[in-house]
Amino acid sequence: MLEITRSVRRADLKAVGEVRRALRELMRHRCRADIAEVAELLITELVTNALVHTDQGAEVSAMLAADRLRVEVRDHAARRPRPYVPTVDDGTHGRGLMLVQALAAAWGVDAAAQAGGKVVWFELDGAFGGAYEGA
């Protein structure tokens, strides 16, 4: 299994790009390009949500094993996110969880075991492409 973990400070939206690049590097030469693109989009949405909608930072982890990628974003707010169906006037606001719901093989929200908060996660199937040679 290959894994990355990152801590993101409160309101540090620049860190979203750094997390995305770390995921890209983890998946590089190991995953199909279409899966990598979806993974980058979804991790961007979850990390941004954690930073915009909570008062503290977040812990991000991504695990690549067998034929599955799992990404988890842990924050310190107990309030559970819900997919929001935006109206025409919302612009691009509120589409993050709808994208996760539509593109991930599985996703969910779990109560964090330590210090309260929650973990929002997603999984993508078929992550490994023909270029994977093993870790």
Side-chain angles (χ1 to χ4, degrees):
M1 176 172 63
L2 302 169
E3 184 173 3
I4 60 167
T5 58
R6 297 289 186 273
S7 293
V8 182
R9 291 186 314 263
R10 177 182 173 267
D12 184 6
L13 292 177
K14 290 187 299 187
V16 175
E18 295 165 10
V19 168
R20 191 174 48 246
R21 282 187 291 280
L23 179 64
R24 184 180 312 133
E25 188 59 30
L26 174 72
M27 298 181 78
R28 192 171 146 214
H29 304 301
R30 295 180 182 96
C31 300
R32 297 187 347 233
D34 60 329
I35 297 294
E37 289 174 11
V38 169
E40 286 185 50
L41 172 65
L42 299 185
I43 200 170
T44 298
E45 294 297 337
L46 293 189
V47 173
T48 301
N49 282 352
L51 296 178
V52 169
H53 298 293
T54 68
D55 293 333
Q56 298 182 19
E59 301 295 322
V60 181
S61 64
M63 294 140 292
L64 191 55
D67 198 27
R68 183 165 285 239
L69 171 72
R70 181 177 176 100
V71 172
E72 298 179 349
V73 178
R74 180 184 184 279
D75 64 45
H76 303 282
R79 185 173 39 113
R80 297 174 64 87
R82 287 175 282 137
Y84 166 74
V85 179
T87 65
V88 174
D89 298 336
D90 285 339
T92 59
H93 169 73
R95 289 177 168 77
L97 286 179
M98 294 297 291
L99 288 171
V100 173
Q101 188 174 38
L103 298 175
W107 79 281
V109 182
D110 300 326
Q114 300 173 338
K118 65 185 169 299
V119 176
V120 183
W121 58 271
F122 70 84
E123 294 180 348
L124 296 175
D125 291 330
F128 292 130
Y132 180 68
E133 304 275 336

